[in-house]
Amino acid sequence: MLTPSELVWLLAAVAKGDEKAFERLYVATRAKLFGVVLRILKRRDLADEVMQETYLKIWNGAGQFDPAQSSPITWMVAIARNRAIDFVRKKAEASIEDEPEAVETAADNPDPLARREMTEELRRLLGCIGRLDPDRQRLVLDAYYNGWSREQLSAKLGVPASTIKTLLRRSLIEIRECLGS
């Protein structure tokens, strides 16, 4: 994996149309982005399709990347995640109940290799999420990890979407405060 500064440099080169830089960026980030997309879609064929859209958006939007706003990998993961979520939302013919495996929460016990690869930042984030009560933990994970919309969560929990929005906002504030301490 390249360093964040190398990724910033590659994105700047991509913004100028440098195809070689784009190839290097792709090679350096495809595994991580594919993992994000596959976790949401649960199907390799769909994940491949979304990955093409993701890298097209990265190619076209590289000039909009601002290293003062986020790290390059965070920016690219957000694009991949949003593309995958959009894809799930567009599948209007399938409801949550029809495809429960597509929105399952991650296992409580990740495999040893995945656990070893966790960054300190991720460990801190998971610790802060762990401080929330179990219902709010599940809500945050379903919304931000599994990509459920407020409307989907509202239907699942039988709670108004505005309440879901409030609970998510409060949870994120608590997580942000925890990370800041």
Side-chain angles (χ1 to χ4, degrees), residues 132 136 164-177:
L132 298 173
R136 286 178 53 201
I164 297 293
K165 181 179 178 179
T166 301
L167 289 171
L168 286 172
R169 185 174 180 280
R170 288 179 183 165
S171 297
L172 291 178
I173 288 169
E174 286 182 37
I175 292 168
R176 190 176 304 125
E177 288 173 355

Side-chain angles (χ1 to χ4, degrees), residues 140-170:
V140 167
L141 291 174
D142 282 341
Y144 298 103
Y145 183 78
N146 292 322
W148 288 22
S149 69
R150 289 183 208 133
E151 291 74 23
Q152 290 171 316
L153 290 165
S154 173
K156 176 186 175 199
L157 300 173
V159 176
S162 59
T163 302
I164 297 293
K165 181 179 178 179
T166 301
L167 289 171
L168 286 172
R169 185 174 180 280
R170 288 179 183 165

Side-chain angles (χ1 to χ4, degrees), residues 122-138 140-141 171 174-175 178:
L122 180 57
R123 285 189 184 119
R124 287 184 56 225
L125 175 62
L126 292 174
C128 291
I129 291 171
R131 291 182 179 181
L132 298 173
D133 70 65
D135 290 336
R136 286 178 53 201
Q137 285 177 23
R138 178 76 180 187
V140 167
L141 291 174
S171 297
E174 286 182 37
I175 292 168
C178 173

Side-chain angles (χ1 to χ4, degrees), residues 4-172:
S5 60
E6 290 171 313
L7 291 175
V8 168
W9 182 87
L10 285 175
L11 279 170
V14 168
K16 295 176 185 170
D18 185 334
E19 292 179 16
K20 293 287 184 199
F22 184 70
E23 288 175 28
R24 285 190 58 211
L25 183 71
Y26 175 78
V27 168
T29 60
R30 69 179 173 213
K32 180 161 187 75
L33 299 187
F34 188 76
V36 169
V37 170
L38 186 60
R39 196 173 323 131
I40 294 169
L41 298 175
K42 304 293 188 206
R43 285 184 40 195
R44 288 185 98 64
D45 58 330
L46 299 177
D48 287 336
E49 185 178 331
V50 169
M51 285 292 287
Q52 288 179 359
E53 292 176 17
T54 298
Y55 278 99
L56 181 61
K57 179 138 176 110
I58 290 169
W59 171 261
N60 290 325
Q64 298 169 2
F65 170 70
D66 180 0
Q69 297 289 331
S70 68
S71 74
I73 198 69
T74 300
W75 182 74
M76 290 185 285
V77 164
I79 291 171
R81 181 183 169 280
N82 291 340
R83 286 279 163 196
I85 290 169
D86 288 346
F87 188 89
V88 169
R89 287 180 180 155
K90 286 178 185 170
K91 279 185 61 180
E93 67 273 8
S95 72
I96 294 172
E97 290 76 26
D98 292 339
E99 296 187 43
E101 67 278 358
V103 291
E104 283 297 312
T105 302
D108 292 337
N109 300 318
D111 66 67
L113 182 59
R115 199 174 320 131
R116 197 170 1 140
E117 292 176 355
M118 267 196 251
T119 65
E120 182 58 35
E121 185 176 69
L122 180 57
R123 285 189 184 119
R124 287 184 56 225
L125 175 62
L126 292 174
C128 291
I129 291 171
R131 291 182 179 181
L132 298 173
D133 70 65
D135 290 336
R136 286 178 53 201
Q137 285 177 23
R138 178 76 180 187
L139 185 67
V140 167
L141 291 174
D142 282 341
Y144 298 103
Y145 183 78
N146 292 322
W148 288 22
S149 69
R150 289 183 208 133
E151 291 74 23
Q152 290 171 316
L153 290 165
S154 173
K156 176 186 175 199
L157 300 173
V159 176
S162 59
T163 302
I164 297 293
K165 181 179 178 179
T166 301
L167 289 171
L168 286 172
R169 185 174 180 280
R170 288 179 183 165
S171 297
L172 291 178

